[in-house]
Amino acid sequence: PVGTSSVAIMVFKEMGVTFVIVGVVGVAVSYFAGDLMSYLPSLDFAARHPNGSAVYPEIYRNLLREKFNETTRKKLQRDYPYLVEALQSDDIEQFQEALVKAQQDDQQKKDAIENYKMEKAEKRKKCKTKKCKAELEGEPVIRRMSMMGPTPTKDDAYNRQAPELPAHMRCDACQAVVFQGAAAVEKALTSAFHGDAGARMESVLTLEAIENTCHNISLWMYEYGVAPSAQGSNLFIGPGVRESTHWEDEEGDTVVPQTAHSDGTGKRLSDACQMLLLGESPTEDEIAAIVMDAVHQGADTAAALRIAVCDNPGQPCTKYA
């Protein structure tokens, strides 16, 4: 196949015989014209077989040799080093093998480019966010930040009229209660053992510490709050529960949750504290024993108390998990 645009005349000697060849300059003369064709004029007598070998290997080699200046040599050395070696040799078979390999390399490059284009097109279809699209196109990612507060709902702790904590918040509330309760009891009992409280009974100290903690509305109101989550529900935020963390929305922008504090939240946590730590079980003596055993073992007192208060069957972190 030959694409023509003008006529070229070539005169050269081969084995002492002068040849005059009239050829047609074409846009593409090989069956699979690869990058190698960019190194020389496209002449009909420089055509290549489908496998890349030359139809007239001696003529084709001479054409390449004529183009073999310093600039071309560097390009060929970069792209087809084995062809440079073949051009410097008189072995026609080696030259043909080099052309075949060059054809294969050209096809691999084309296939790689096509595959890249197809993969990029597929990724572009799946890209839904501005961040994804910008990164795919190699463009700078413009990030935005927004603030989001909790959304009041009829059964939420953020709603002051809600009769009780919603189910998905009860385990969090239990964790907050045991965290504050264990810390208060540990402080009271370790102070007593250092002589600050004389011989007062452990149960009395424990009861006093728990009552003071549970009735401290300011503690529950200011240390704990309600913040939105990436899943859309409101969650408790505070010591012993979790910290507020930001997330990315569907567009790749950053959302920073805002924690809302209210007397309603404080009141409900205070009520939860009284129900969990001032009820029939566990008793003050049992709470004191759990906390002090953890202290003596160097363990987490809140984690130890949680097992007894939150994690047993029917308790908040199993019933509402």
Side-chain angles (χ1 to χ4, degrees), residues 8-287:
I9 299 176
M10 181 176 183
V11 181
F12 65 94
K13 284 187 177 183
E14 182 73 19
M15 299 178 63
V17 180
T18 301
F19 292 87
V20 178
I21 299 177
V22 178
V24 182
V25 178
V27 176
V29 297
S30 67
Y31 290 91
F32 297 99
D35 294 341
L36 180 61
M37 297 302 295
S38 64
Y39 289 97
L40 69 159
S42 299
L43 303 177
D44 60 343
F45 51 78
R48 294 162 69 184
H49 293 295
N51 70 347
S53 61
V55 176
Y56 306 102
E58 293 88 354
I59 298 176
Y60 198 97
R61 183 181 61 184
N62 287 338
L63 286 171
L64 282 178
R65 282 177 173 175
E66 285 187 3
K67 299 287 292 184
F68 200 63
N69 54 35
E70 184 63 22
T71 301
T72 307
R73 187 192 67 77
K74 289 181 179 179
K75 292 181 179 179
L76 283 173
Q77 186 66 46
R78 180 194 64 202
D79 298 331
Y80 313 97
Y82 47 84
L83 186 57
V84 173
E85 182 179 346
L87 284 171
Q88 295 171 342
S89 169
D90 292 328
D91 188 338
I92 290 297
E93 185 176 346
Q94 179 185 359
F95 177 67
Q96 289 283 64
E97 290 175 354
L99 288 178
V100 172
K101 180 170 174 52
Q103 179 76 5
Q104 293 171 347
D105 288 351
D106 287 343
Q107 191 61 50
Q108 287 179 358
K109 292 175 185 176
K110 289 180 180 178
D111 291 344
I113 292 173
E114 286 303 314
N115 289 337
Y116 171 77
K117 289 180 179 178
M118 291 174 61
E119 289 176 2
K120 190 171 183 180
E122 191 64 27
K123 289 179 180 178
R124 190 177 287 110
K125 288 180 182 178
K126 295 179 180 179
C127 260
K128 302 300 181 183
T129 67
K130 293 180 290 185
K131 176 185 176 183
C132 176
K133 292 175 182 178
E135 290 177 345
L136 185 62
E137 301 299 333
E139 299 174 353
V141 179
I142 300 175
R143 297 180 183 275
R144 295 179 176 83
M145 182 179 294
S146 61
M147 306 293 184
M148 178 183 290
T151 302
T153 60
K154 64 180 181 180
D155 64 343
D156 207 323
Y158 185 55
N159 185 345
R160 299 182 185 184
Q161 303 304 318
E164 60 181 358
L165 290 171
H168 75 277
M169 287 186 169
R170 293 175 192 174
C171 180
D172 289 347
C174 192
Q175 293 182 79
V177 166
V178 297
F179 180 85
Q180 296 294 344
V185 171
E186 179 183 351
K187 180 178 180 181
L189 296 184
T190 52
S191 297
F193 291 144
H194 284 83
D196 294 340
R200 298 179 67 185
M201 297 173 60
E202 282 188 358
S203 60
V204 175
L205 291 170
T206 300
L207 179 60
E208 184 180 88
I210 292 173
E211 286 183 336
N212 289 339
T213 299
C214 289
H215 291 95
N216 187 354
I217 301 294
S218 295
L219 167 69
W220 303 112
M221 178 177 173
Y222 293 109
E223 289 290 326
Y224 295 89
V226 178
S229 67
Q231 292 72 36
S233 59
N234 293 338
L235 300 175
F236 270 130
I237 302 296
V241 184
R242 66 175 61 81
E243 294 182 356
S244 179
T245 57
H246 63 270
W247 66 87
E248 290 186 353
D249 62 15
E250 293 180 353
E251 290 296 328
D253 295 333
T254 300
V255 179
V256 180
Q258 299 298 291
T259 302
H261 300 270
S262 70
D263 55 354
T265 299
K267 178 65 168 60
R268 286 167 180 76
L269 285 174
S270 174
D271 291 344
C273 180
Q274 295 174 58
M275 181 184 69
L276 293 168
L277 299 184
L278 294 174
E280 295 182 0
S281 179
T283 65
E284 296 84 44
D285 289 336
E286 290 171 336
I287 293 174

